[in-house]
Amino acid sequence: MKRIALIITGLSLLLASCGGNNTGAPKTDTSKTITMNQNNDTTKVVKTEDEWKKLLSPEQYAVLREKGTEAPFTGKYYLNKDKGVYVCAACGNELFTSDMKFDSHCGWPSFDKEIAGGKIKTVVDSSHGMIRTEILCGRCGSHLGHLFDDGPTATGARYCVNSVSLDFKKE
C-alpha cells in the first residue's frame, strides 16, 4: 500500500511539473486549426464498459476509460517523427496531424492545435490538487490527456496526449 501511495505521489508531482497549475483558459488560435475531409464522421460512439474492455488492451482501458496516465517518456508516439494523422485509439476519430506535433520535453506527445470540427472536447479537471483542462475524444468521450497554455508555438497551446490513447495512420 505504501508503494502505491509513493507511486501516486510521484506521478502527481511529475504531472504538476509537466503542466503546472494551469488555471487560465488555453490561448488556442482557432484560425490555425485545419479541417480534415477524410474522416469528418461526427457520429457518437457509445459502448458499455464491458464492450470497451473487450475492445481495448488493459493499458488502453486504464487511460482512455478510467482517465489514467501512461508513464512519461515511454509511449510509442512520444518520439515519432513520421508524417501522418493521429487518431483516437478507441474509435478512430482523427485528432491531430504530424504537422501539429512538437517536442515539449515533458514525456508525452504534444501538439499545438487539433483538427477542427469538434474532434476534441474539453472539461475542467480538478483532480490531483490541480486545475487543468482535460481533453476527451469528441466521438467516444475517451480521455486523451490535458491541454495547457504554455506551448512554445504561435498558438500558445500544448495538447499533452498519452501515446496509448492514440493510433497513427502513416502517410
Side-chain angles (χ1 to χ4, degrees):
M1 194 63 156
K2 270 187 178 179
R3 185 177 177 159
I4 291 173
L6 285 173
I7 291 170
I8 291 171
T9 301
L11 184 55
S12 294
L13 290 172
L14 180 63
L15 289 172
S17 69
C18 182
N21 286 325
N22 180 21
T23 57
K27 299 170 192 156
T28 305
D29 180 353
T30 55
S31 68
K32 297 191 181 204
T33 58
I34 63 165
T35 302
M36 301 291 288
N37 293 325
Q38 302 158 337
N39 186 5
N40 276 336
D41 183 4
T42 56
T43 306
K44 296 293 180 200
V45 174
V46 179
K47 295 184 182 303
T48 66
E49 290 311 305
D50 283 340
E51 290 173 317
W52 285 122
K53 284 180 183 177
K54 289 176 186 170
L55 179 68
L56 304 169
S57 73
E59 184 182 21
Q60 286 176 317
Y61 184 84
V63 171
L64 289 160
R65 305 307 303 170
E66 296 179 326
K67 301 178 187 283
T69 302
E70 68 190 354
F73 305 102
T74 63
K76 65 182 175 180
Y77 299 123
Y78 170 59
L79 297 175
N80 184 35
K81 303 237 188 269
D82 292 334
K83 295 288 183 192
V85 177
Y86 292 88
V87 302
C88 175
C91 72
N93 186 23
E94 292 182 344
L95 305 169
F96 307 100
T97 67
S98 54
D99 294 335
M100 299 167 178
K101 189 172 186 286
F102 67 95
D103 188 357
S104 68
H105 307 287
C106 75
W108 293 274
S110 296
F111 304 87
D112 68 350
K113 56 187 159 272
E114 64 189 79
I115 295 173
K119 304 285 190 166
I120 292 178
K121 303 277 187 217
T122 61
V123 296
V124 174
D125 174 4
S126 58
S127 64
H128 306 292
M130 297 176 274
I131 298 175
R132 301 177 291 174
T133 302
E134 179 184 7
I135 53 175
L136 306 169
C137 175
R139 282 186 71 209
C140 69
S142 290
H143 171 77
L144 303 170
H146 290 88
L147 173 59
F148 302 100
D149 63 358
D150 60 0
T153 69
T155 68
R158 177 171 57 94
Y159 292 78
C160 187
V161 184
N162 292 285
S163 283
V164 74
S165 66
L166 299 171
D167 279 330
F168 183 70
K169 294 182 191 174
K170 193 172 179 178
E171 265 182 17

